[in-house]
Amino acid sequence: MQGSKLFVGNLNYSVTSEELAELFSNHGEVREAKVIEGKGFGFVEMGSQTEAEDAKQALNGTEFAGRSLNVDEARPPKSRDQRGGGGGGGGGYRRY
């Protein structure tokens, strides 16, 4: 594991950032916990890489608020130019 930030997936939509922080605080210092509302996932930043590894091992696959958690190391966000998609479109019509 490279860092101290964890991705937490398969969250119950009723879980709050405070509840997530409380759950992870049993495994070390929680610097920040954030639930992405309406998406069913969140992120937790632990005090150290070791604490993050411990929390991942302890909580991955465990049940919390009626759902089995998916805990893994957070990946850095992709930069905008790597997201793909694109192309704009001319649209409209041509005059001759």
Side-chain angles (χ1 to χ4, degrees), residues 19 28 66:
E19 291 170 330

Side-chain angles (χ1 to χ4, degrees), residues 35-94:
V35 171
I36 309 304
E37 290 186 35
K39 298 291 184 181
F41 68 90
F43 297 94
V44 176
E45 185 174 357
M46 300 298 291
S48 71
Q49 181 179 337
T50 303
E51 290 174 339
E53 288 173 0
D54 291 346
K56 176 184 170 184
Q57 282 198 339
L59 296 172
N60 188 39
T62 62
E63 189 173 311
F64 180 64
R67 295 188 125 178
S68 179
L69 296 180
N70 175 19
V71 181
D72 204 355
E73 182 177 5
R75 292 181 290 220
K78 292 181 181 178
S79 65
R80 290 213 172 258
D81 59 328
Q82 293 178 345
R83 292 186 187 185
Y93 61 94
R94 275 198 274 184

Side-chain angles (χ1 to χ4, degrees), residues 23-41:
L23 175 67
F24 278 77
S25 69
N26 294 321
H27 304 283
E29 174 195 357
V30 175
R31 289 187 183 159
E32 181 181 20
K34 182 172 183 170
V35 171
I36 309 304
E37 290 186 35
K39 298 291 184 181
F41 68 90

